[in-house]
Amino acid sequence: MLLTSPIRFAPGVGPRRADAFTALGVTNIGRLIHTLPFRYEDEAAESGVRELDLGRTGAARGEVTATRVAGAGRKRRFEAVLISEGERLDLVWFNGAYLQKKIHPGMRLLVQGKPRTRGAGLQMANPDWEILHEDAEEPERQSARLRPIYAGSADLTTRQIESVIEKVLDEALPQIEDHLPETYRQERELIELRDAYRCIHRPHSREEINAARRRLAFDELLLLQLGVHMKRAWMRTHVQAPALTWSDEIDKRIRKRIPFEFTEGQNASVAEIASDLQDAWPANRLIQGDVGSGKTVVALYAMLMAAASGHQAALMAPTELLAEQHYGTITELLEGADVEVALRTGALSAAERASIDKRLESGDIDLVIGTHALISENTRFHSLAVVVIDEQHRFGVEQRAALRGKAGDNMTPHAIVMTATPIPRTLAYTVFGDLDVSEIKGLPPGRMPVVTRLVTPEQFDEVFDYVRTRLDGDEQAYVVAPAIDAEGDLRDVRTLTTRLEEGPLKGKRVATLHGRMRRDEREHLMGRFRAGLIDAIVATTVIEVGVDVPNATMIVIDHAERFGVAQLHQLRGRVGRGGRRGLCVLMAEAPSPEAEERLNAVVSTTDGFALAEKDLEIRGPGEVIGARQSGEAPFRVAEFPKHMDLLMLARRDAAEWIAQSPMLDHPDEQLLRQRLMKAHGKSLGLVDVA
Ligand code: ADP
Ligand code: MG
């Protein structure tokens, strides 16, 4: 039997079970060996009843001779008598009445639990149990071990998976080849791949499991990092971008357009961008900056660098409203300059859009602002050198592929992605492995940090009476609820609106905003809010992204315990953009300890980078990444922060490795290269690299 043999050739696997395996993605023996347990159970050594130790977990098997349901109410329990080699063991399951449908006299059971004395005999309370089926060959008496638990399905139990793996493991292991050289492994204290799989499926200790997981985690991280570096090396030699010119003169001219001094953080990012854009290969940079850190002018700087070199630039926003907002800001800053700026949105008539498209193709327009449709709609450009994507969490390989050729024959524009929800840099490198990361630390001077208060729902009137006094002073407010119309006792957008309109905000102009409204309705409403025609907006989280209403100074978030750290921070960023001090009220129902930790984190700091680290600590990277990667888990084994050292090691090694061997084409790298292609060839677009 080979690793490539179909799963149906495995012993004990008939056509039906083969289908069940296939449904789990396990099509051959190799994949079966790759099926990793998600946890392990301690199994005690099996013994006779007489040899069981009081108060220590033990196991025994025997025949059930009697069962009954006893007691009433909360004392209801299921009892059974097990006879094991002539000895009696009493079993009891509290609240276990449902077991009367599962456990019957005559059955053979294997049970595990802590025995105690009861009368003259022994009893196990709430033991784990397993039916020993008559039709199957009864397994040997078990010795103490760590039993792997696999994620099965309705048609395939963890036990069944385990039993097939057990049967093929000895034959499969010797066939597993290691893609890492022995000396390399030893220097890094990584065990051999073959050993790792043995330890994973048949561990003798927790240490073995850890060593095995460490090896497999490292492989995941190294393969991704190698892929990323390989792609870069290839890009540097094969893909061209317009190299922009830059000089003190250009720098001065651009800065003259901006009515304030850049902050240190902005200057640092501008320097990195300017250096990127002078290169003849496409930049791929993520700019992380807190809400209000001033990313727009940094984007403008990059765009003006393109214009100064006679190229074009595009700014893409997630909504039309944001695109309009950017257009407003940018045209104002560029008034009187010799730069042609256009806004291209769905609100334009077909004729207007056609005219803009024509001028984009001829090169008449220098800067264009729009939504993400700008690129996806196959708009043609004369020479697009810089693309800035605003407030986007994810700008993947596909979107980047759409940029190819937009800068002229075989030329790809530079891409700059801006996000207002920072994630720790280390994590950014793992998620967006092939991006460079810049951070805009700090806010423009004179900005007053938003005051954040945690309150209970009992303080509702108190909070909104205060909000009202500030609305009277012509400030504006957001109120956020987790749902539009919720079931049960959850307060939602509708009930909140009514309660506010009839209560503390009576006579104020209150509007609702939520995701079930059409996009243009939503944007129209936000426009009215920005124009001061609405005092308070009651909304779901649709207001989350990038809208700048300087006069909105207060945000009250109801059921704050239901939101994540990043989300709360984003929402809070909607206020405090003008000269007046912003207020963020988190109204929370008695939270769980975890929710409380989240809320306290948000109250304790307004620094998005610090919060990102906190968030990572609280939720772990799976969740943090998950929120961004629309649920696709990047790693099966690697965990953070536990494996952070491995990540750093893998990054360093991959950089060195690819510098030595950019295409991994030495004969002894074949296996490594093959595995890399299999894992990331498609997602990293390496297929056309090699
Ligand atoms: P964000 O990073 O959230 O996109 P914006 O670019 O919208 O932030 O900037 C927020 C506000 O700060 C804008 O009104 C902008 O004009 C202002 N701003 C940006 N940079 C500076 C600066 N260096 N000094 C003073 N004000 C600034
Ligand atoms: Mg912005």
Side-chain angles (χ1 to χ4, degrees):
M1 199 166 34
L2 300 171
L3 293 175
T4 48
S5 303
I7 190 70
R8 66 174 181 281
F9 293 161
V13 176
R16 262 189 51 205
R17 197 159 285 178
D19 285 347
F21 270 113
T22 306
L24 292 178
V26 179
T27 47
N28 61 27
I29 304 295
R31 294 231 175 180
L32 179 69
I33 300 301
H34 267 90
T35 306
L36 306 183
F38 62 94
R39 66 183 175 89
Y40 296 84
E41 263 172 17
D42 276 300
E43 262 186 10
E46 205 179 318
S47 67
V49 174
R50 239 189 253 276
E51 289 89 54
L52 288 172
D53 282 336
L54 281 179
R56 280 185 76 181
T57 304
R61 78 175 69 184
E63 186 176 324
V64 177
T65 55
T67 65
R68 67 167 185 155
V69 174
R74 288 171 58 194
K75 294 222 168 119
R76 223 160 116 85
R77 60 195 186 268
F78 179 70
E79 295 179 344
V81 176
L82 190 82
I83 300 296
S84 171
E85 293 164 20
E87 306 278 341
R88 173 179 172 146
L89 179 64
D90 285 323
L91 307 171
V92 58
W93 287 269
F94 299 105
N95 291 316
Y98 66 95
L99 289 173
Q100 63 187 315
K101 294 217 178 76
K102 304 198 170 190
I103 297 177
H104 308 288
M107 270 182 177
R108 287 184 62 74
L109 288 189
L110 174 63
V111 296
Q112 168 164 327
K114 285 184 185 162
R116 55 185 183 189
T117 46
R118 185 167 172 270
L122 280 183
Q123 184 197 55
M124 270 187 194
N126 301 322
D128 293 331
W129 55 277
E130 186 183 336
I131 297 170
L132 300 170
H133 288 283
E134 267 173 47
D135 50 351
E137 194 183 322
E138 195 163 307
E140 312 255 302
R141 236 190 200 200
Q142 74 183 28
S143 40
R145 64 162 181 156
L146 286 158
R147 179 172 210 163
I149 307 295
Y150 301 89
S153 65
D155 302 320
L156 202 59
T157 65
T158 171
R159 299 282 197 242
Q160 289 163 334
I161 297 173
E162 182 193 354
S163 116
V164 183
I165 290 180
E166 253 320 299
K167 284 185 191 124
V168 302
L169 196 60
D170 288 327
E171 215 176 320
L173 286 178
Q175 298 178 47
I176 294 178
E177 284 182 87
D178 207 317
H179 48 267
L180 295 179
E182 186 170 345
T183 44
Y184 176 93
R185 269 194 286 111
Q186 280 168 355
E187 278 165 24
R188 286 154 189 81
E189 297 185 349
L190 298 164
I191 63 173
E192 209 183 340
L193 196 54
R194 187 176 291 171
D195 288 340
Y197 281 104
R198 198 275 298 155
C199 294
I200 281 286
H201 296 296
R202 204 187 277 157
H204 299 312
S205 65
R206 296 267 169 199
E207 287 71 44
E208 281 198 349
I209 298 171
N210 284 337
R213 292 189 67 86
R214 193 178 137 80
R215 166 64 210 260
L216 298 182
F218 182 75
D219 280 5
E220 282 182 340
L221 297 167
L222 182 69
L223 286 187
L224 177 61
Q225 295 298 330
L226 281 172
V228 164
H229 283 88
M230 187 189 223
K231 175 79 181 279
R232 279 181 183 224
W234 184 85
M235 293 267 279
R236 278 191 185 270
T237 47
H238 289 76
V239 181
Q240 298 264 300
L244 304 182
T245 42
W246 190 65
S247 62
D248 286 349
E249 157 72 25
I250 292 174
D251 180 63
K252 249 194 228 129
R253 236 165 55 209
I254 297 178
R255 284 176 196 264
K256 250 199 353 233
R257 287 276 149 207
I258 293 159
F260 39 71
E261 292 284 309
F262 277 176
T263 63
E264 238 173 80
Q266 285 171 321
N267 273 327
S269 291
V270 161
E272 283 171 321
I273 289 173
S275 147
D276 281 358
L277 302 191
Q278 291 172 76
D279 257 344
W281 67 288
N284 213 351
R285 185 171 288 277
L286 175 72
I287 309 281
Q288 302 205 88
D290 227 322
V291 226
S293 60
K295 291 183 291 293
T296 314
V297 288
V298 172
L300 179 62
Y301 190 104
M303 295 170 80
L304 289 175
M305 260 184 81
S309 295
H311 293 283
Q312 296 167 297
L315 173 59
M316 307 199 290
T319 66
E320 308 229 317
L321 186 75
L322 268 179
E324 275 166 32
Q325 184 178 298
H326 283 318
Y327 180 72
T329 312
I330 286 172
T331 43
E332 201 172 305
L333 292 173
L334 297 182
E335 210 180 308
D338 186 22
V339 180
E340 207 46 43
V341 188
L343 175 68
R344 187 190 184 283
T345 65
L348 298 180
S349 70
E352 286 168 319
R353 226 173 315 154
S355 145
I356 289 184
D357 286 354
K358 222 166 119 201
R359 294 172 59 217
L360 282 172
E361 196 166 357
S362 72
D364 184 28
I365 293 172
D366 301 302
L367 312 185
V368 62
I369 298 160
T371 61
H372 295 141
L374 257 185
I375 291 302
S376 53
E377 276 178 12
N378 262 331
T379 319
R380 285 224 280 278
F381 293 85
H382 180 66
S383 169
L384 181 62
V386 172
V387 173
V388 182
I389 300 106
D390 191 28
E391 304 287 357
Q392 177 79 332
H393 298 321
R394 190 183 153 87
F395 186 63
V397 176
E398 276 160 47
Q399 287 99 320
R400 253 176 268 141
L403 296 180
R404 284 216 181 153
K406 295 274 187 206
D409 285 344
N410 290 322
M411 298 280 260
T412 298
H414 301 283
I416 296 167
V417 183
M418 311 203 134
T419 166
T421 319
I423 54 175
R425 194 187 272 262
T426 39
L427 204 54
Y429 283 136
T430 56
V431 185
F432 310 105
D434 53 345
L435 288 176
D436 291 307
V437 179
S438 295
E439 292 174 347
I440 306 184
K441 289 256 164 109
L443 297 179
R447 196 73 62 73
M448 282 179 289
V450 176
V451 174
T452 309
R453 291 271 181 269
L454 186 57
V455 303
T456 64
E458 285 73 57
Q459 290 164 276
F460 187 92
D461 286 336
E462 191 185 324
V463 167
F464 283 102
D465 286 344
Y466 174 74
V467 168
R468 184 183 180 103
T469 61
R470 287 180 61 168
L471 294 184
D472 287 339
D474 272 343
E475 294 175 53
Q476 290 166 288
Y478 297 103
V479 182
V480 177
I484 304 170
D485 37 13
E487 286 152 24
D489 50 6
L490 201 63
R491 288 176 302 280
D492 56 33
V493 167
R494 282 193 215 291
T495 49
L496 267 181
T497 307
T498 318
R499 188 161 163 201
L500 290 172
E501 277 175 333
E502 289 169 3
L505 302 191
K506 196 167 189 163
K508 291 291 169 194
R509 295 162 299 179
V510 178
T512 60
L513 181 73
H514 54 74
R516 249 187 259 151
M517 288 161 66
R518 286 209 322 268
R519 170 174 280 226
D520 56 333
E521 283 177 327
R522 277 190 337 237
E523 300 205 1
H524 177 71
L525 196 106
M526 278 312 293
R528 285 171 48 85
F529 185 61
R530 194 143 54 127
L533 301 172
I534 293 169
D535 298 310
I537 282 191
V538 186
T540 53
T541 53
V542 288
I543 57 157
E544 213 177 323
V545 177
V547 177
D548 194 5
V549 183
N551 198 46
T553 52
M554 296 169 282
I555 185 163
V556 182
I557 304 169
D558 198 9
H559 284 294
E561 77 281 358
R562 293 177 167 254
F563 295 95
V565 169
Q567 222 175 2
L568 291 172
H569 182 61
Q570 264 290 324
L571 288 167
R572 175 168 60 183
R574 299 302 109 228
V575 301
R577 305 187 140 226
R580 273 175 289 196
R581 190 179 269 287
L583 172 69
C584 170
V585 180
L586 307 176
M587 200 177 312
E589 219 61 59
S592 65
E594 197 247 79
E596 189 162 356
E597 213 179 331
R598 268 186 277 131
L599 293 168
N600 286 334
V602 177
V603 172
S604 70
T605 180
T606 49
D607 178 345
F609 292 94
L611 277 176
E613 297 283 351
K614 254 263 135 60
D615 198 22
L616 179 62
E617 222 174 88
I618 300 173
R619 289 194 300 160
E623 296 285 310
V624 175
I625 295 172
R628 270 145 218 288
Q629 291 283 79
S630 39
E632 120 203 10
F635 305 120
R636 291 197 308 160
V637 191
E639 314 166 61
F640 301 92
K642 184 173 162 195
H643 290 136
M644 203 57 102
D645 64 318
L646 290 180
L647 168 64
M648 301 325 273
L649 188 65
R651 268 184 80 74
R652 199 200 67 197
D653 281 5
E656 277 174 22
W657 202 318
I658 295 297
Q660 300 280 326
S661 174
M663 288 295 119
L664 297 178
D665 46 12
H666 292 300
D668 54 0
E669 291 168 341
Q670 282 325 291
L671 192 57
L672 177 64
R673 185 194 154 95
Q674 216 178 309
R675 292 194 173 146
L676 165 61
M677 285 302 168
K678 202 167 164 197
H680 303 295
K682 228 165 141 195
S683 66
L684 283 177
L686 290 172
V687 215
D688 40 84
V689 169

